[in-house]
Amino acid sequence: MSYASKVKDELSRQEPAARHCQIAEIAAILSLCGRISISADDRYCIKIHTENIAVARKYFTLLQKTFNIVTDVSIRRSSYQKKSRTYSVVVSRHEDASRILMAAKLIGDDGEIGENLSLVKNMVVKHACCRRAFIRGAFLAAGSISDPEKSYHFEIACASEAKARQLQAMIGTFGLEARIVIRKKYFVVYMKEGCQIVDILNVMEAPVSLMELENIRILKEMRGQVNRQVNCETANLNKTVSAAVKQLKDIEYIRDTIGLLKLPENLAEMAALRLERPEATLKELGEALTPPVGKSGVNHRLRKLSRIAESLREKCEGKEEDNYD
């Protein structure tokens, strides 16, 4: 089971205790994936479609508990993809469909279908608990979430800009910043920050999925820190090795041209020690000298040896002779 399926399965088992929250969740489901058909004699029928059996079960349970009505459930298998199934929950009785639409504020007193998208005036999402239920229903109806092992992405696809703006504003009431992007014919409300996705899971009341995401985030962050530390240490090691290799080449060049005995005593001692201990750090070289010398002192002597080697190379190329002292 994918992470998105796990989240939806957990949310499908989350049953609001209050009737107003149940209505808010039903309103979101109808708004984002419901279909309302009107017969020639003005009789309503509601159809809700989903490819997720857990979500279909949630629709069925919500409608039954909230309105105490009987719904028809059907399953249709795709002719192109044999494993793909579409589940339909249908409210065919006009009286039941009218009650649902009236409660969800999807139909006016005059019988005209239309949504009141104002967060201030819409009684369905007046309370914070109802807004939680609405966002949960919206995600169940048209949402998706990526596998946190790969990336962080949460989205809900809306058929109109007005619905997307309403959902964005509703998410904003919980201190979260969602964005909207147009994808094909949909207006997609999305978030890409891991911490915000954790918060939206908390808003929708999915504690198990939230903890799984948090654990993955912690592990990814630890791996990232370890990788950065290893990369830093590797870079420092490469830098140290490269410097040591150059120092050895310079000292060997001095030895093979004028000999180390021509060098001042402190430089000759430093050169001999570096040849003897090519893998030693500056600190280890300084501690091996008599008397001991600090890292800056060791570095100063090695740089002086490098300058002497460069001077000798220039001399071999016919340039002026430098003072080795």
Side-chain angles (χ1 to χ4, degrees):
M1 185 183 291
S2 67
Y3 181 73
S5 296
K6 290 179 182 177
V7 174
K8 289 196 173 185
D9 184 68
E10 181 180 2
L11 292 177
S12 72
R13 300 176 191 281
Q14 181 65 255
E15 297 182 4
R19 187 173 187 272
H20 50 81
C21 292
Q22 294 170 357
I23 292 173
E25 193 163 348
I26 290 171
I29 292 167
L30 291 175
S31 178
L32 272 75
C33 74
R35 298 288 183 272
I36 303 170
S37 60
I38 307 175
S39 66
D41 54 348
D42 290 333
R43 300 186 71 80
Y44 297 123
C45 175
I46 297 174
K47 296 180 181 180
I48 305 170
H49 304 285
T50 179
E51 294 181 356
N52 190 314
I53 188 171
V55 176
R57 183 177 61 242
K58 179 64 176 288
Y59 298 167
F60 176 85
T61 304
L62 271 175
L63 291 171
Q64 189 179 51
K65 283 192 172 184
T66 310
F67 297 99
N68 192 27
I69 60 175
V70 177
T71 57
D72 301 321
V73 180
S74 62
I75 304 172
R76 186 176 64 186
R77 181 173 294 178
S78 172
S79 58
Y80 299 101
Q81 297 176 326
K82 293 184 178 180
K83 292 184 178 180
S84 177
R85 295 179 178 179
T86 300
Y87 302 89
S88 298
V89 180
V90 182
V91 180
S92 54
R93 289 186 70 246
H94 170 75
E95 293 76 15
D96 292 337
S98 296
R99 277 201 299 140
I100 294 169
L101 293 173
M102 291 282 286
K105 303 300 181 186
L106 297 176
I107 189 172
D109 295 332
D110 55 359
E112 291 295 324
I113 296 174
E115 295 182 53
N116 176 5
L117 297 170
S118 169
L119 284 181
V120 177
K121 298 178 181 179
N122 193 341
M123 295 300 295
V124 172
V125 289
K126 181 179 179 181
H127 305 290
C129 58
C130 294
R131 291 195 293 274
R132 288 178 183 272
F134 189 96
I135 295 169
R136 180 168 60 245
F139 178 77
L140 284 170
S144 67
I145 185 170
S146 64
D147 184 348
E149 288 280 7
K150 299 176 182 177
S151 63
Y152 299 125
H153 186 85
F154 171 95
E155 69 174 44
I156 299 174
C158 302
S160 68
E161 184 176 2
K163 288 181 182 180
R165 295 294 176 194
Q166 180 196 30
L167 188 59
Q168 181 187 41
M170 201 175 299
I171 291 172
T173 63
F174 294 98
L176 302 175
E177 184 180 356
R179 297 184 179 183
I180 297 175
V181 65
I182 300 174
R183 187 187 303 149
K184 296 181 180 179
K185 62 178 181 179
Y186 293 101
F187 293 83
V188 180
V189 181
Y190 74 96
M191 291 186 288
K192 297 182 75 70
E193 295 291 333
C195 58
Q196 290 212 324
I197 296 175
V198 167
D199 290 339
I200 197 67
L201 288 174
N202 183 49
V203 167
M204 296 189 299
E205 299 176 298
V208 176
S209 299
L210 185 155
M211 289 305 299
E212 183 178 351
L213 176 56
E214 278 286 52
N215 289 336
I216 292 172
R217 283 184 68 216
I218 291 170
L219 288 173
K220 286 176 73 173
E221 187 174 336
M222 289 177 61
R223 284 198 296 264
Q225 289 178 348
V226 170
N227 287 337
R228 286 191 293 272
Q229 186 173 354
V230 169
N231 291 337
C232 182
E233 291 177 354
T234 300
N236 289 336
L237 181 60
N238 289 337
K239 185 178 178 181
T240 300
V241 170
S242 298
V245 170
K246 185 180 183 306
Q247 292 160 8
L248 286 170
K249 287 182 178 179
D250 290 339
I251 292 170
E252 288 170 351
Y253 186 80
I254 296 171
R255 181 194 63 192
D256 296 341
T257 51
I258 63 172
L260 300 182
L261 294 178
K262 292 290 185 70
L263 296 171
E265 184 178 349
N266 62 336
L267 296 183
E269 182 185 13
M270 185 75 260
L273 185 60
R274 173 50 93 188
L275 289 173
E276 181 184 342
R277 302 182 61 181
E279 78 293 340
T281 63
L282 296 182
K283 182 180 179 181
E284 291 169 343
L285 290 173
E287 291 172 349
L289 291 170
T290 305
V293 176
K295 288 172 61 177
S296 60
V298 172
N299 190 47
H300 175 73
R301 294 185 187 185
L302 289 170
R303 283 164 58 187
K304 200 166 185 179
L305 287 168
S306 293
R307 287 198 296 269
I308 292 172
E310 288 301 318
S311 180
L312 288 171
R313 290 187 182 100
E314 290 176 1
K315 180 182 176 182
C316 290
E317 294 173 0
K319 296 184 178 181
E320 290 184 7
E321 181 178 356
D322 290 340
N323 183 5
Y324 301 146
D325 298 330

